[in-house]
Amino acid sequence: MSAAVEHRVLGRPAGPVRLLIVDDSEDDAFLVCAELTRRGMAVHHRRVDCDFDMAAALAAEPWDVVLSDHNMPGFSSLAALDVLKSSGLDLPFIIHSGEISDRQAVSAMYEGVDDFIAKGDYDRLLPVIERELRGLHARRAVRQADERIRELVNFDVLSALPNHNLFCTKVGDWIADAGAQAAGAVLVVDVDRFMRINASFGYDTGNVILRQLGERLAAGLAADVMLARLGSDRFGVFLPGVVEREQAEIAARWLLRAFEQPFMKNDIELFLTASVGIAMVGGDGADVFELLMNAEAAVARVKCQGGNGVRCYDRAMNAASAERLTLEAELRHAVERGELRLFYQPIVDPDGTVRAAEALVRWQHPEQGLLAPDRFIPLADETGLITEIGAWVLTEACYQGRCWHDAGHERFRVSVNVSAVQFGQPRLLETVREALRGSGFPPACLTLEITESSLMSDVESAAGMLRSLKNMGVRIAVDDFGTGYSSLSYLRRLPIDTVKIDKSFVRDVSNNGEDAAIVRAIIALAHSLGLGTVAEGVETAEQEATLRREGCDSFQGYRYGRPVPAEVFVMGTVPG
């Protein structure tokens, strides 16, 4: 319904009906407008009388109705109708003429004319225009709805980029059209650890960053390159015509430049990285779905290696992916089937007395045998199963600790690792509380080991969680210290008790001056802050001797014992 009709029918103010009059008589055009105005319809009009002027008018302004005389010198209503059809516009076309027979009028309507009215019959002209405007409004509403549906089906609402559906359709069509000559590359860009942004700053901030990232990725891409948001924090890129993997890798590394500059949140700099997987058309897949699947397999391999890199797909990844899916399905049942085992590795004092043990989980796989943590813990982290596994480990370790206390080792301590995923969940507090309450194990004898990188990813949140844990009475150790990007002076803001020196520094501490200096500095600074130290990965007498000279408080490693089940764990003093 046009603005004027809304005013007439609904009684609210609106603009005039825009009327394009095709007539060779200026007087007749003026009279039509005057009569319509007198009857309550505000009109804006323009008169044309040839095909050139009509085409120009249709291109220059938006119109609501075309009102055309039938016979004009060198022009006619049917010729005017052809001009309208050529323009591609959907506008009501009404013949307003005193020189047209009924047969001609009916024939014109078969050609697409909406109605015909004799000149001077203004009482009929007004309702016909209103009727046609209502029909025009209804058609436009349907088209707008269809367009909105098309946008929802094919475009991502957040970034306004093509979505997964449109990406697959366009790339699939391109591959089909190119046939055997098809050459190109599909890239999947997956933001590393993006959930930390949502968890720390909220989904609104995450959405803002994703929009900015879409703009950064799009900047500088050639017109024939397709960029899409595939979902969540994953983007897809199609590079047509790329033949060599080296070309695709160069393009992928260019995309990583979008992450070089920080994203801003309330004057806080947020640095992100991404993993990029590449699949080549033809060699790595015959259709877009296979190419995407294989590019994502390459992404997964990059993430397993720490992220922030580029990897091309190779066929060996498929076997690894299938094995991974099978392992994930089996891991989901490992706890309920009782397949997990806890092993304990001694932590000794300088006099060789075993004062504590670290609980380390193993998986007694029914077919593959005893699996070390590196075979399934990363998978548990990715799938969220680590929460359930971590709760089981904590409960079992506390019960075992209580058993040792009941056997006469009242002050013996047990250490349990807490994953980054667990540490980021408020549920951890309740899990620890339930494990201590259910087992009766003293909180002061439980040490929770949290990696340095987990603490540094969001220091303020980490400080709050650590304070809550300390209020329960448990001890806190920073695991793998030295491998992250913090310093002890920074960590003094956190309520911790112990620093565990990473084994990568201990390995060559007796023959590498740089590693020895790092270990010496860690121990000295830890003691200045009142923190204890534990050296991990001690295997030789030379390593132990160096660590003793530097004043390290405790030692852990194969020199004192490998991880073993509780029933064969030996208390007392280890041999020198």
Side-chain angles (χ1 to χ4, degrees):
M1 187 183 300
S2 73
V5 173
E6 287 180 340
H7 170 69
R8 179 181 179 88
V9 175
L10 302 178
R12 62 175 186 251
V17 173
R18 303 181 65 85
L19 193 62
L20 181 61
I21 300 177
V22 184
D23 203 313
D24 60 328
S25 170
E26 183 68 45
D27 291 340
D28 285 354
F30 177 81
L31 182 60
V32 165
C33 294
E35 288 295 332
L36 291 175
T37 300
R38 189 172 68 83
R39 286 165 169 79
M41 177 179 284
V43 176
H44 164 78
H45 86 284
R46 179 175 174 181
R47 185 187 68 84
V48 295
D49 58 8
C50 68
D51 55 357
F52 179 82
D53 289 345
M54 182 179 176
L58 290 170
E61 297 181 62
W63 300 100
D64 296 319
V65 178
V66 176
L67 191 64
S68 177
D69 195 3
H70 180 56
N71 283 318
M72 295 163 282
F75 204 36
S76 69
S77 61
L78 295 182
L81 181 63
D82 288 339
V83 174
L84 176 61
K85 289 178 180 179
S86 297
S87 72
L89 298 173
D90 177 17
L91 295 176
F93 190 95
I94 302 171
I95 293 178
H96 183 228
S97 175
E99 300 180 5
I100 184 172
S101 66
D102 290 346
R103 177 177 293 180
Q104 289 175 318
V106 171
S107 177
M109 293 185 71
Y110 277 113
E111 295 295 325
V113 172
D114 293 287
D115 210 335
F116 64 95
I117 300 168
K119 277 193 176 181
D121 191 355
Y122 301 112
D123 288 336
R124 183 166 179 266
L125 178 61
L126 180 63
V128 167
I129 291 177
E130 290 181 345
R131 182 198 70 204
E132 293 302 323
L133 289 176
R134 285 192 294 271
L136 176 64
H137 173 75
R139 293 195 300 275
R140 287 177 175 174
V142 169
R143 281 198 297 272
Q144 288 173 354
D146 288 343
E147 179 63 22
R148 180 57 178 160
I149 292 172
R150 189 186 73 85
E151 290 177 359
L152 292 173
V153 169
N154 293 312
F155 290 88
D156 173 54
V157 176
L158 177 64
S159 65
L161 292 172
N163 62 13
H164 186 281
N165 179 68
L166 185 58
F167 184 84
C168 291
T169 299
K170 292 292 187 181
V171 176
D173 290 346
W174 185 91
I175 293 174
D177 292 342
Q181 304 303 315
V186 169
L187 282 62
V188 172
V189 182
D190 194 315
V191 184
D192 298 326
R193 296 172 289 278
F194 188 77
M195 284 304 297
R196 293 186 306 170
I197 300 296
N198 289 334
S200 301
F201 299 100
Y203 284 89
D204 287 343
T205 297
N207 290 342
V208 170
I209 290 176
L210 287 173
R211 280 193 291 268
Q212 293 178 5
L213 179 55
E215 294 170 359
R216 290 189 187 185
L217 292 174
L221 287 177
D224 61 343
V225 174
M226 185 174 187
L227 171 67
R229 183 181 178 220
L230 302 179
S232 185
D233 54 5
R234 290 183 304 122
F235 293 82
V237 178
F238 178 60
L239 306 173
V242 173
V243 178
E244 302 294 334
R245 292 181 182 271
E246 290 75 12
Q247 294 176 278
E249 289 179 354
I250 291 172
R253 298 194 183 282
W254 186 92
L255 290 172
L256 288 181
R257 294 176 58 188
F259 297 86
E260 291 179 353
Q261 297 300 316
F263 297 85
M264 301 302 296
K265 165 62 178 177
N266 296 334
D267 298 326
I268 299 175
E269 293 184 337
L270 302 176
F271 288 90
L272 297 175
T273 61
S275 302
V276 183
I278 302 170
M280 304 298 295
V281 174
D284 297 333
D287 59 55
V288 63
F289 300 104
E290 186 178 7
L291 290 165
L292 277 175
M293 179 183 70
N294 291 337
E296 289 175 352
V299 165
R301 185 61 59 89
V302 177
K303 287 186 175 293
C304 286
Q305 297 171 347
N308 192 26
V310 175
R311 185 70 181 265
C312 289
Y313 168 78
D314 65 65
R315 295 193 179 277
M317 294 177 182
N318 276 345
S321 297
E323 179 185 357
R324 188 178 181 84
L325 287 173
T326 301
L327 200 64
E328 177 186 341
E330 294 170 339
L331 183 58
R332 291 186 179 276
H333 300 291
V335 175
E336 62 189 58
R337 292 173 179 169
E339 295 173 357
L340 298 182
R341 303 283 186 270
L342 274 191
F343 282 37
Y344 296 87
Q345 185 173 35
I347 300 173
V348 304
D349 287 350
D351 63 1
T353 303
V354 179
R355 302 289 188 187
E358 180 179 353
L360 300 167
V361 66
R362 301 289 188 266
W363 179 10
Q364 188 66 51
H365 192 279
E367 297 175 359
Q368 301 183 41
L370 194 66
L371 300 183
D374 59 0
R375 285 289 308 277
F376 63 92
I377 290 299
L379 179 61
D381 274 331
E382 289 181 23
T383 59
L385 293 172
I386 192 64
T387 302
E388 182 182 1
I389 293 174
W392 179 87
V393 169
L394 191 59
T395 300
E396 290 295 311
C398 287
Y399 271 109
Q400 182 57 53
R402 177 57 188 267
C403 290
W404 280 325
H405 280 204
D406 292 344
H409 308 283
E410 292 86 355
R411 302 179 66 182
F412 195 80
R413 299 190 303 274
V414 175
S415 294
V416 176
N417 290 288
V418 176
S419 75
V421 175
Q422 283 179 284
F423 189 67
Q425 297 179 345
R427 179 183 170 186
L428 174 64
L429 298 175
E430 186 59 30
T431 300
V432 174
R433 188 177 294 111
E434 289 178 358
L436 292 171
R437 184 190 302 120
S439 64
F441 191 56
C445 293
L446 175 64
T447 300
L448 298 180
E449 298 189 6
I450 303 162
T451 62
E452 178 188 8
S453 57
S454 297
L455 296 175
M456 292 299 101
S457 64
D458 185 353
V459 176
E460 296 304 321
S461 297
M465 175 63 80
L466 293 182
R467 282 191 291 269
S468 297
L469 291 169
K470 289 290 290 180
N471 288 338
M472 294 183 193
V474 304
R475 297 171 60 83
I476 304 296
V478 181
D479 197 13
D480 300 336
F481 186 80
T483 60
Y485 46 86
S486 62
S487 66
L488 276 174
S489 60
Y490 195 68
L491 286 175
R492 68 183 178 181
R493 297 172 51 191
L494 303 176
I496 60 178
D497 302 287
T498 305
V499 169
K500 299 193 73 173
I501 305 169
D502 189 70
K503 59 186 177 183
S504 61
F505 301 110
V506 173
R507 182 182 303 114
D508 296 319
V509 69
S510 58
N511 52 33
N512 183 300
E514 183 177 336
D515 284 348
I518 293 173
V519 169
R520 184 181 308 116
I522 291 174
I523 294 172
L525 288 172
H527 288 169
S528 71
L529 295 174
L531 304 178
T533 55
V534 178
E536 296 183 288
V538 181
E539 298 183 356
T540 68
E542 291 76 16
Q543 292 170 339
E544 179 184 322
T546 302
L547 291 164
R548 283 175 179 273
R549 285 196 301 271
E550 302 301 339
C552 187
D553 300 306
S554 300
F555 311 95
Q556 180 180 353
Y558 289 169
R559 175 166 170 74
Y560 315 102
R562 293 177 178 271
V564 294
E567 54 267 25
V568 297
F569 186 85
V570 178
M571 300 288 186
T573 302
V574 298

